[in-house]
Amino acid sequence: MLLFVNGTIHTMDPLNPHPEALLAHNGRILDLGSLRHIQEKHPGATLVDMKGKTLLPGFNDSHLHLLGIGMRLNQIDLSSVESIEALKEKLLRHQGDGDILVGYGWNQEHFKEGRMPSSHDLDATGILKPIIIHRTCVHMLVANTLAMEKAGVFEPSGLFKESGMNPLKDLVPPPDEKALAGYILSAAKVLLSHGVTSVQSDDLFMVDTSLHQLVFDVYETLERENRLPLRVYEQTNFKQYEDYLKNIPDYRQDRTSDRRFKRGPVKILGDGSLGGRTARLKEPYSDDTGTRGLLNFSPEAVRHLFQLCDEHQLDVAVHAIGDEMLQIALEALEPLKHAACRHSIIHCQVTDTETLAALDRLKPVLHIQPGFLNGDIHMAPSRLGPKRLRTAYNYKTLENLDLVIAFGTDAPVESTNPFLGIYHAVTRKDLKGFPQDGWLPGQTLSLYDAIKHYTVDGAYASYDENKKGALKAGYYADFILVDRDPFTVAKDDLKDLRVLETFVGGQSVYPLD
Ligand SMILES: [Zn+2]
């Protein structure tokens, strides 16, 4: 029995917001209240001195790619590169001895050349192995000539988008059981260091379809061996239309068990990204009137998949960034009958009057990534133009519709640190403090609500609202100790908060000594 004392406790439970002490036992929270009261009832409890620090519920990242985070630890990080020349130098310096060179995170918005890299740039490095480099959005990549030759595909620019990327991604040797476990555990370590104790993860997006069952098996083996240190709710992405049709009838969503790895909703990747101009818009992009983005599935196919999931009482989680994709998703949602389902929209970045009315009517759960503000503050105005911008990234408007808004990061697209997202949501600024008065400042959220979206609402999305998200008696003992109280620091300092210790099921899992 551990009795946490001598710190500030924020439970996110409005009925008991700041108890003096918290008692954890057998993986659960046993009691919260005054120290004297708890000690009288449980005289043998071991005291844990919080030394004036702050205790919060563990964060729940409502949409990320856990395997992708682990894989990236073995690839070249190009996210801080500010020119194509610097990108080439970085590839040369980190060639390693693998058969293929994989980089990620580049963003032409940061390049002084102001353009995307090409196969010619990669060829010019003189590196004699296949190279593929993923854009930060992971919806497009650039390959060198050698990679295209090996994959049997060709584009003069070397640029590939969405499913066109698959032959090139297939050049990377598939991970075996041991590699998959390694990716999961190394990603978990990063997440726990940021106080993330639960994730909702689309892992299958990251691997070939033939490995889907193996990914589930590896998670279940890790759990059986007591080696899975955080809770994972899988957003199961079957990727190909035929595979959805084949797999949905036998797929069982786990809404009730206390397992750490649980099968969650069926994930559908509806459109692409705004940065890559592949998110599907109703009107052309303001900075490229030749395109409205793309759809990965026809509206009829989306409707059919929604119906099929509904027949089998499965939730759908659909990636929708552009306003047209959002509309298609909401129209597919409209006729579904099972009121018990918690269908969700991932991203929901660009709305309009019509989709806002449908969101209000249908009340899907939203998975929102406030960390996107850091880059999109600079990119979205030119992509969308002033009119559409007024109803984009409109977190406060969505909150006012009484929707459950579960925050996350889409990592490895963005950093897994929840305090960055919380900072963006309550300041509407990028990490450099731009713009000074906040971007679309009417959409600023309160700190309490931002933390609630990262804890309580994420738990609701996975049917765990009576088990986690807040600190209450009977809930999982998933909580974090933070160096400063977020409710007393200046808003601009929220991004610098540090997690000192992370507990999952009452066990200290970060830092490990
Ligand atoms: Zn994603």
Side-chain angles (χ1 to χ4, degrees):
M1 261 186 220
L2 296 178
L3 181 53
F4 291 79
V5 296
N6 189 27
T8 304
I9 301 176
H10 295 288
T11 63
M12 302 308 288
D13 170 14
L15 299 177
N16 185 19
H18 306 294
E20 187 186 2
L22 177 151
L23 182 70
H25 181 55
N26 270 345
R28 304 258 178 176
I29 296 167
L30 197 58
D31 206 351
L32 305 112
S34 81
L35 176 58
R36 186 199 294 179
H37 172 82
I38 294 178
Q39 274 187 317
E40 274 169 18
K41 280 206 288 185
H42 308 280
T46 309
L47 289 183
V48 180
D49 182 359
M50 295 192 280
K51 299 189 175 119
K53 307 301 184 195
T54 298
L55 195 78
L56 294 169
F59 292 115
N60 185 330
D61 191 311
S62 82
H63 174 69
L64 50 63
H65 306 273
L66 189 100
L67 267 185
I69 298 168
M71 287 173 172
R72 287 240 168 138
L73 296 171
N74 295 296
Q75 300 171 352
I76 303 173
D77 180 358
L78 301 170
S79 59
S80 58
V81 163
E82 290 180 345
S83 71
I84 290 173
E85 281 314 305
L87 181 148
K88 286 155 70 176
E89 278 164 32
K90 190 147 191 190
L91 291 175
L92 273 168
R93 262 183 286 125
H94 295 87
Q95 287 186 58
D97 24 82
D99 294 333
I100 177 167
L101 206 55
V102 183
Y104 68 90
W106 61 267
N107 184 348
Q108 78 279 8
E109 308 287 331
H110 302 158
F111 292 166
K112 66 167 188 266
E113 293 89 347
R115 63 168 176 90
M116 299 211 191
S118 69
S119 56
H120 308 288
D121 296 317
L122 300 184
D123 291 345
T125 60
I127 295 171
L128 293 175
K129 51 178 146 186
I131 306 173
I132 58 175
I133 53 169
H134 296 269
R135 193 181 178 279
T136 175
C137 62
V138 303
H139 292 274
M140 51 173 69
L141 63 77
V142 175
N144 67 349
T145 303
L146 219 55
M148 290 191 281
E149 276 170 12
K150 265 199 114 172
V153 290
F154 183 73
E155 280 290 336
S157 62
L159 182 72
F160 295 83
K161 296 180 183 180
E162 303 298 336
S163 56
M165 304 187 293
N166 289 343
L168 291 145
K169 285 201 214 164
D170 288 346
L171 294 178
V172 181
D176 58 11
E177 203 174 325
K178 191 165 159 248
L180 287 171
Y183 294 147
I184 291 169
L185 294 176
S186 53
K189 216 166 148 180
V190 175
L191 286 157
L192 293 168
S193 77
H194 287 141
V196 179
T197 54
S198 288
V199 298
Q200 302 176 51
S201 180
D202 167 5
D203 292 304
L204 305 188
F205 177 64
M206 315 307 298
V207 293
D208 184 76
T209 308
S210 62
L211 294 177
H212 287 186
Q213 189 55 46
L214 185 63
V215 172
F216 285 0
D217 291 347
V218 168
Y219 269 120
E220 277 157 7
T221 304
L222 287 173
E223 173 159 18
R224 217 173 27 249
E225 295 171 349
N226 282 323
R227 291 167 64 210
L228 189 62
L230 81 180
R231 304 182 200 279
V232 180
Y233 190 59
E234 185 69 30
Q235 294 169 334
T236 301
N237 183 349
F238 294 114
K239 295 196 286 201
Q240 304 297 332
Y241 187 63
E242 299 70 34
D243 288 321
Y244 284 98
L245 301 184
K246 197 170 74 196
N247 286 302
I248 285 173
D250 297 321
Y251 183 72
R252 297 283 173 274
Q253 189 175 348
D254 182 352
R255 295 181 172 97
T256 53
S257 87
D258 284 311
R259 290 194 191 101
R260 286 206 173 172
F261 175 72
K262 290 163 70 162
R263 286 166 168 74
V266 172
K267 152 98 189 267
I268 297 170
L269 185 68
D271 61 353
S273 74
L274 214 54
R277 296 191 190 84
T278 48
R280 180 67 166 193
L281 298 174
K282 292 182 180 180
E283 302 292 331
Y285 277 83
S286 296
D287 56 0
D288 182 355
T289 50
T291 185
R292 293 199 290 131
L294 54 81
L295 294 173
N296 292 318
F297 303 93
S298 71
E300 297 73 40
V302 171
R303 231 179 349 257
H304 183 65
L305 290 181
F306 271 61
Q307 269 160 8
L308 196 61
C309 285
D310 195 63
E311 275 166 33
H312 292 88
Q313 298 189 34
L314 300 171
D315 294 346
V316 183
V318 59
H319 165 123
I321 288 187
D323 50 7
E324 177 156 302
M325 185 57 226
L326 180 60
Q327 173 124 6
I328 291 168
L330 292 166
E331 280 172 4
L333 205 56
E334 191 107 39
L336 301 192
K337 291 175 286 299
H338 288 289
C341 282
R342 293 181 185 174
H343 303 299
S344 60
I345 310 275
I346 301 175
H347 304 308
C348 193
Q349 258 158 260
V350 188
T351 69
D352 59 8
T353 320
E354 205 175 353
T355 45
L356 284 171
L359 286 166
D360 190 22
R361 208 164 51 241
L362 301 166
K363 300 273 189 273
V365 172
L366 302 183
H367 302 284
I368 301 260
Q369 299 71 31
F372 281 11
L373 289 177
N374 188 44
D376 293 6
I377 283 174
H378 304 278
M379 172 271 289
S382 56
R383 294 282 188 282
L384 297 173
K387 182 167 172 283
R388 275 186 295 214
L389 204 58
R390 282 199 286 274
T391 47
Y393 303 84
N394 46 353
Y395 306 162
K396 189 67 196 176
T397 305
L398 297 170
E399 213 178 55
N400 288 340
L401 297 180
D402 251 336
L403 299 168
V404 172
I405 298 175
F407 272 174
T409 58
D410 208 11
V413 175
E414 296 288 337
S415 156
T416 57
N417 182 353
F419 283 115
L420 299 183
I422 289 169
Y423 159 84
H424 293 302
V426 305
T427 65
R428 303 286 299 189
K429 297 179 195 175
D430 73 8
L431 288 174
K432 292 176 179 154
F434 174 87
Q436 214 172 33
D437 300 320
W439 188 58
L440 311 172
Q443 298 297 335
T444 306
L445 302 188
S446 75
L447 176 62
Y448 185 88
D449 285 335
I451 294 179
K452 175 174 168 284
H453 296 321
Y454 235 126
T455 53
V456 175
D457 290 343
Y460 177 87
S462 62
Y463 298 83
D464 291 317
E465 68 271 26
N466 294 315
K467 294 177 181 175
K468 65 185 188 187
L471 303 177
K472 286 167 105 165
Y475 281 33
Y476 298 144
D478 295 355
F479 41 75
I480 59 175
L481 206 54
V482 180
D483 64 345
R484 284 175 288 166
D485 183 347
F487 290 95
T488 61
V489 302
K491 283 184 177 174
D492 285 341
D493 293 338
L494 284 166
K495 61 183 184 308
D496 304 317
L497 260 61
R498 291 277 167 269
V499 173
L500 302 173
E501 191 164 4
T502 302
F503 295 81
V504 176
Q507 285 195 326
S508 177
V509 286
Y510 168 81
L512 293 175
D513 29 41

